[in-house]
Amino acid sequence: MNQIVEKGTAFVKTDRFRKILKRIGFFIIGFLGLILIFFIGLRVYFNQNKAAIMTEINQKINDNISGHASIGDVGYKFLIGFPNFTVVLNKVELQDSLYAVHKRSVLKAEEIEVRLNVLSLLNKKVDIEKVVLIDTKIDLFKDKNGVSNSNIFKPKPKTNQPKSKTETEIDEVDFKNVVFISQNLQRNKLFHFEVASLKSKIDYTDDGWETDLFLDVFAKSMAFNTIKGSFIKDKRLKGKLAIQFSKKKNRIDVLTEGLGIGDDDFDIKASFGLEKEHPIMNINIKTKILWLNAAHLLDPHLFKILNHFDITKPLDAQCSIIGDMNAEGDPEIIVDAQIKDNVLVTQDGTVTDCNFSGRYINNFKNGLGYNDINSAVIIKNFKGNYEGIPISIPAAAINNLEKPIATGNIHSEFEVKKLGNVFGEDVFKFNGGTANVDLKFNVDIVALRISKPRFTGKVNIEKANMLYKPKNLTFQTNILLDFTDKALFIRNIKYQRDKNIAFLDGRIDNFLNLYYDDPENMVAVLNLKSPFMDVKQLMATLASSEKKTEAKKATTKADTRKRIALVQKCQVVLNLDLDKMVYSNLTAKNAKIIIVAKNRQFFIKQGSIETCGGKITFASQLIPQGELFNVKANVNIATVDIPQFLTSFKNFGITSFQPKNINGNLSATADLSAKMTVNGDLVDESVKGNLQYDIKKGSLTDFKPIMKVGKFAFPNREVKHIVFNDLSGRLNMNGSKVNVDYFKVSSNVLNFDVEGIYSFKKGTNLGLTIPLRNPKDDAGIKDKTKRDALRYKGIVLHLVVVDGKDGEMKIKMGSLPDKNRVTFK
């Protein structure tokens, strides 16, 4: 190896090598000289024939256009395009024959390089090898009246002869900084592209030509309908397109793989018809792209729809655009997408593990046009997981994008406790049980938000434990919600809390409309059957105020709470059928009660219970006032056992005697008002109203008020046990005081009348009228008139009962004003 290097070095230093190197240098210099002489000759030729060349170029242009072409100047670029001759046309402008009408030039170019075949040029023929457009604007225009500047090229005469060898063919086209605009005001279309670079070398065939087009373009507008906006607006397109023109098909076909549009790559296959009247465009696009990236490529009105959703991972998408490029409005657009193992994000929540196929089409029904009204989004085989709840939608569609309506079927089966993820555990807490959902839905979409979903079908919940926190209401239940077009039917609800057991069913008419449009006017008719019910506990449950909870940030949960609050204001008609009920100390059976509840106001329209050996019927209303209820009631009592009745109501707060001191059957009517707590307890001193009563077959045993009077007035009579056939009275209650209008007792021991004020606290001032005659034989007098006439015969004693010590009553001689005397009849 070293020997070869040494020999080479020695050869370079020889005279022979110097001679060879000199000859090569002379050859190169000679060759370059010849080229220089050649191009100097061409330059001389160009300068001498410049006018003729300009005339020839103008002639070629004007021979092929209907209009006018103007060239500001013609120049020459030295050595550019060797071995061809490069002519530079400056300030080139093409105008069609109707320029005076629309004032829009077809082409304005600062500079156009035209490479001419040297041999043809020497024969005084212009053969264009390549055209380079620099700083050029191509402007195709049609106004609202259909006047266009694009009909600038003259049609070629039809002939069956083969192509002439002298026919001009441009082998190569380059664009540098070219603006292309195609505007159709008549059809509201605008295509506007800024071409940074475009290179195309054309191969001609018997049927046309083909080329690979290398482009770098910025899309300002690709609006099929300018009213709605542009596709791929302000996006850069970069890549290679294989283009083919066929004379036979009169069509241009385009094929590209990996064309960059924005940040994504697209495979595109397209064809463009060149018919004058109805040029058909057919574009098919395939890509793998993120949802929001795809949305940004569409026109604004579609972007506004898609931007309210997001699919976080790339999806496989295919778009087909077919239409008449001269037709008004949008072409037919079909977008198909396959979503696999993805995440769907909406304003109403996030769906994970999402799989479905989707299609957008703006020609849902043939013949109705390519428009929003006839557009649809079709979903098939949707499966996902929303807040831990599996969702299956076999088929769904959103029709009419101007007033969207979504329809479809939804299925789900899940553990009930997962509902807490939806409602938030500040409202409901669920444990145990399963839910099965099988619904058809019809949903309005307003401002791209789900609105007024209407369902038909069933929601079946089995063996669920629920805690309704605002009312601290816990129960285990089965629920079947049956949604129909006419009503929501509520079936199979079992409520159990402590000893309370209830079975509930009912219906809400026109539920699907009222729930969204007017929830406060919903009427829920519920039938409640129970073997045992503590009414006070039920009232506390229904009437209690909701506990305030911290506001959640999640919009859906806030909306849910708002909707629940509205529904709580709806009207509920509750038909109670209770085998046994208790209210405080009152025990009753066969209770039939109709309760109308609305906005925490309660109205008992019809109520009847069997208790204390008799029957009580009543009607009342409970109106909330702060933390209490204002109660008004009309009560009719028929032959109830007095001791039981008084015990049930804690003797109404009376301490001067006990229920055991009085026996008999009570009948009474009352018109009362009072204040009641949410737990069903009467507020002390709150009762007001009138009471009229009558006691039959009664007796007083160890009745202290009478015993005191007897000790004073009838020491020889047995007043510890008084039997009476008639005890009646009428009184008015006002807080702690009772205004006794009259209280009349007719017995075997004595007769007496009472009137005045009785106070549960201080202020008792009762007047007693006591005939001293012994009435033991009066019961035998059948004639009531005669019996009443004998009642006050003889000495009549007047006493006054007032407050004593330690809650005891004090009796003294006297009478109420104007009655302070002993009478004799």
Side-chain angles (χ1 to χ4, degrees), residues 183-194:
Q183 185 175 19
N184 188 330
L185 296 180
Q186 192 176 47
R187 302 303 186 191
N188 295 317
K189 298 180 185 298
L190 176 60
F191 302 94
H192 183 176
F193 301 96
E194 295 179 352

Side-chain angles (χ1 to χ4, degrees), residues 63 67 162 201 338 363 560 634 677:
D63 284 347
K201 191 169 184 179
Q338 295 292 328
N363 184 30
T560 300
N634 295 312
T677 69

Side-chain angles (χ1 to χ4, degrees), residues 7-18:
K7 289 180 179 181
T9 303
F11 177 74
V12 169
K13 294 178 179 180
T14 62
D15 292 338
R16 185 181 175 189
F17 176 77
R18 291 189 185 98

Side-chain angles (χ1 to χ4, degrees), residues 516-535:
Y516 298 100
D517 295 331
D518 200 1
E520 294 187 33
N521 284 331
M522 283 197 304
V523 178
V525 180
L526 305 176
N527 304 307
L528 188 149
K529 286 182 168 291
S530 174
F532 178 85
M533 180 61 65
D534 185 333
V535 175

Side-chain angles (χ1 to χ4, degrees), residues 11-275:
F11 177 74
V12 169
K13 294 178 179 180
T14 62
D15 292 338
R16 185 181 175 189
F17 176 77
R18 291 189 185 98
K19 291 179 180 179
I20 293 172
L21 187 62
K22 187 182 293 186
R23 291 173 182 174
I24 293 172
F26 286 147
F27 176 79
I28 293 173
I29 293 170
F31 180 75
L32 292 176
L34 288 173
I35 293 175
L36 181 60
I37 294 170
F38 175 77
F39 277 99
I40 291 173
L42 286 177
R43 181 63 178 264
V44 172
Y45 175 84
F46 174 77
N47 288 333
Q48 292 178 348
N49 295 275
K50 181 177 179 179
I53 293 173
M54 286 186 63
T55 301
E56 182 73 14
I57 293 174
N58 266 311
Q59 185 64 41
K60 277 189 171 288
I61 295 174
N62 284 293
D63 284 347
N64 287 281
I65 66 172
S66 298
H68 173 69
S70 65
I71 301 174
D73 191 18
V74 177
Y76 167 72
K77 285 190 176 182
F78 182 66
L79 292 180
I80 299 298
F82 178 81
N84 291 321
F85 184 73
T86 300
V87 176
V88 179
L89 309 180
N90 296 308
K91 302 294 183 182
V92 180
E93 184 172 2
L94 299 182
Q95 298 173 352
D96 75 317
S97 59
L98 297 177
Y99 177 80
V101 178
H102 51 66
K103 304 294 184 182
R104 298 277 286 264
S105 297
V106 178
L107 180 143
K108 280 186 178 182
E110 290 295 317
E111 182 178 322
I112 300 177
E113 291 183 6
V114 181
R115 291 182 190 172
L116 306 176
N117 185 287
V118 173
L119 296 178
S120 297
L121 190 62
L122 293 176
N123 292 321
K124 296 185 178 182
K125 297 292 184 180
V126 176
D127 187 3
I128 301 173
E129 297 283 340
K130 181 177 181 179
V131 175
V132 181
L133 274 66
I134 302 171
D135 297 331
T136 301
K137 181 180 180 181
I138 301 172
D139 189 2
L140 306 180
F141 175 75
K142 179 181 285 187
D143 68 13
K144 292 184 177 180
N145 297 317
V147 177
S148 173
N149 72 348
S150 59
N151 297 321
I152 190 170
F153 296 102
K154 292 179 180 179
K156 294 182 179 180
K158 294 182 179 180
T159 177
N160 294 325
Q161 296 180 2
K163 181 177 68 174
S164 173
K165 294 183 179 179
T166 61
E167 184 177 340
T168 301
E169 291 182 345
I170 301 175
D171 295 330
E172 194 171 349
V173 176
D174 281 6
F175 285 2
K176 295 179 181 179
N177 192 24
V178 174
V179 175
F180 174 80
I181 297 174
S182 176
Q183 185 175 19
N184 188 330
L185 296 180
Q186 192 176 47
R187 302 303 186 191
N188 295 317
K189 298 180 185 298
L190 176 60
F191 302 94
H192 183 176
F193 301 96
E194 295 179 352
V195 183
S197 172
L198 182 149
K199 294 183 179 181
S200 171
K201 191 169 184 179
I202 303 170
D203 295 325
Y204 291 92
T205 65
D206 293 338
D207 188 37
W209 50 263
E210 58 187 26
T211 183
D212 287 338
L213 184 67
F214 298 88
L215 78 162
D216 184 356
V217 176
F218 189 76
K220 299 290 289 185
S221 175
M222 195 173 83
F224 298 101
N225 187 339
T226 55
I227 297 173
K228 294 179 179 178
S230 168
F231 288 80
I232 62 172
K233 182 176 176 59
D234 297 331
K235 298 295 181 182
R236 183 167 297 281
L237 288 73
K238 194 171 184 179
K240 183 184 79 170
L241 283 72
I243 302 176
Q244 186 179 60
F245 166 67
S246 170
K247 292 180 181 178
K248 183 178 180 181
K249 297 178 180 178
N250 197 22
R251 189 179 76 193
I252 294 177
D253 292 311
V254 179
L255 181 65
T256 179
E257 294 182 357
L259 177 67
I261 302 178
D263 297 325
D264 298 284
D265 294 334
F266 295 81
D267 296 338
I268 300 174
K269 183 178 181 180
S271 65
F272 301 90
L274 301 178
E275 294 85 358

Side-chain angles (χ1 to χ4, degrees), residues 437-464:
V437 178
D438 189 2
L439 296 172
K440 292 182 178 180
F441 60 84
N442 186 303
V443 182
D444 292 342
I445 300 178
V446 179
L448 302 173
R449 295 292 303 276
I450 291 175
S451 175
K452 301 180 181 179
R454 291 169 170 80
F455 300 98
T456 56
K458 296 179 180 180
V459 177
N460 190 13
I461 299 175
E462 297 180 346
K463 298 179 181 179

